[in-house]
Amino acid sequence: QVQLAESGGGLVQAGGSLRLSCAASGSIFNIVSHGWYRQAPGTQRELVATITDGGNTDYGDSVKGRFTISRDTAKNTVYLQMNSLKAEDSAVYYCYAKVYYTGYSSGDYWGQGTQVTVSS
């Protein structure tokens, strides 16, 4: 019912920047929460950043002050600007969205993931 299309991953040197995008499409009434998680090999998936329909943001402790999440509500798209990247930011980044597709029914959706690799 809902698809998440991610883009923007890749290889960057430490200290550099990348911008990720995630566009939601399908049967969307409202996106309550939209954002990014990441998972490095051998670790659990962790919060990177999310933004709610009210504009409230939440960041993982390790990215505060370096990453910024923003959104274009007309396009159902969120962006993650990642600055001052470190080797430890290397991971697969997964887009996440909690979507109401009617006024009462909702679901949690995940993208397929995009690889971010930071070389030191």
Side-chain angles (χ1 to χ4, degrees), residues 31-84:
I31 301 176
V32 176
S33 179
H34 203 172
W36 297 91
Y37 287 72
R38 69 186 182 186
Q39 188 169 20
T43 68
Q44 291 188 329
R45 193 169 295 189
E46 64 175 1
L47 169 70
V48 177
T50 57
I51 186 166
T52 69
D53 55 350
N56 295 316
T57 58
D58 191 18
Y59 292 92
D61 288 341
S62 62
V63 307
K64 288 178 180 176
R66 299 187 297 123
F67 291 10
T68 303
I69 191 168
S70 61
R71 60 180 179 162
D72 184 332
T73 54
K75 296 180 179 180
N76 289 327
T77 299
V78 291
Y79 306 96
L80 183 69
Q81 180 65 43
M82 305 186 292
N83 297 329
S84 302

Side-chain angles (χ1 to χ4, degrees), residues 90-108:
S90 297
V92 177
Y93 284 67
Y94 295 94
C95 181
Y96 163 80
K98 183 175 182 66
V99 178
Y100 274 82
Y101 36 83
T102 69
Y104 303 98
S105 299
S106 67
D108 295 323

